[in-house]
């Protein structure tokens, strides 16, 4: 019986990681990438490379994701690398799918989210933040990792002993600032910061709340002292 429960938990965690990585990739590819909304992470680096060198966003993310996976294996060990292997495959794949879907102009989304439409850009940032945050939260909930910049943060933390939260903020903040210089649009940068904030809220709601559960036991029986 205990073995069956462990198997069910493992399957559920596996589903969480796959689903989370897929939602993350689709949200970033459909909402953020096409509009150069930099919120940090590998997608942010990919958008910067696309703006500076006209490199393909999908290829940049694939190369970086695999590179960070290898670095994680070298510096953090096999167990940590295994936790990121699903995201290493699923996230770039669904990012490409999300970018492709964005080109199809489904229900006129392209016109609505056009760069000239301020309302559309803000909504793209909001929905992008929701999707990315939900994806990361579900991946963490399954005991996995999104890989990428997370691996870089953990490697730096291993050698500097700095807090992970501070390092994450510093790395993502640096990516956003570089994005400001590369894209040269303060409006898009501010929208990206809003999207990043929404992402953090979603992660907190899905992951942190799941790990801080208060259980109240209500019973008609009164505990008696011996």
């Amino acid at each position: 019986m205990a073995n069956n429960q462990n198997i069910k938990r493992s399957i559920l965690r596996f589903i969480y990681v796959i689903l989370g990585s897929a939602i993350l990739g689709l949200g970033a590819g459909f909402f953020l990438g096409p509009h150069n909304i930099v919120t940090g992470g590998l997608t942010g680096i990919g958008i910067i490379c696309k703006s500076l060198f006209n490199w393909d966003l999908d290829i940049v993310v694939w190369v970086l994701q695999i590179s960070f996976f290898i670095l994680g294996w070298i510096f953090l060990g096999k167990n940590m690398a295994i936790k990121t292997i699903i995201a290493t495959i699923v996230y770039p794949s669904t990012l490409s799918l999300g970018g492709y879907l964005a080109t199809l102009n489904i229900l006129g989304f392209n016109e609505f989210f056009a760069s000239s439409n301020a309302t559309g850009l803000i909504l793209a940032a909001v929905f992008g933040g929701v999707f990315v945050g939900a994806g990361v939260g579900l991946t963490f909930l399954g005991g996995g990792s999104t890989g990428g910049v997370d691996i870089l943060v953990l490697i730096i933390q291993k050698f500097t002993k700095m807090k992970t939260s501070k390092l994450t903020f510093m790395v993502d903040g640096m990516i956003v600032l570089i994005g400001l210089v590369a894209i040269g649009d303060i409006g898009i940068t501010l929208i990206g910061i809003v999207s990043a904030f929404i992402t953090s809220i979603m992660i907190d709601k899905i992951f942190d709340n799941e790990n801080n559960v208060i259980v109240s036991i209500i019973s008609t029986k009164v505990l008696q002292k011996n």
Side-chain angles (χ1 to χ4, degrees), residues 13-62:
R13 288 176 179 174
F14 185 72
I15 292 172
Y16 276 149
V17 174
I18 292 180
L19 184 61
S21 301
I23 292 173
L24 167 62
L26 286 172
F30 188 84
F31 292 108
L32 303 180
H35 311 292
N36 293 331
I37 300 174
V38 177
T39 62
L42 288 191
T43 305
I45 297 175
I47 291 171
I48 292 170
C49 291
K50 183 178 73 171
S51 300
L52 289 176
F53 312 111
N54 199 30
W55 292 349
D56 188 88
L57 172 63
D58 303 350
I59 294 176
V60 172
V61 171
W62 266 111

Side-chain angles (χ1 to χ4, degrees), residues 71-72 75-76 150-160:
L71 287 175
F75 290 101
L76 301 176
D150 291 345
I151 296 294
L152 178 61
V153 167
L154 289 174
I155 292 173
I156 297 174
Q157 193 273 337
K158 179 179 180 180
F159 292 102
T160 64

Side-chain angles (χ1 to χ4, degrees), residues 39-42 45 64-65 67-69 71-73 75-76 80 84 136 140 145-175:
T39 62
L42 288 191
I45 297 175
L64 289 176
Q65 189 79 328
S67 299
F68 282 127
F69 172 79
L71 287 175
W73 189 294
F75 290 101
L76 301 176
M80 185 62 210
T84 67
V136 173
F140 287 168
S145 169
T146 57
V149 172
D150 291 345
I151 296 294
L152 178 61
V153 167
L154 289 174
I155 292 173
I156 297 174
Q157 193 273 337
K158 179 179 180 180
F159 292 102
T160 64
K161 306 303 180 182
M162 292 177 64
K163 289 186 177 180
T164 305
S165 57
K166 289 184 178 180
L167 281 170
T168 301
F169 177 78
M170 289 170 60
V171 171
D172 283 338
M174 188 178 299
I175 293 172

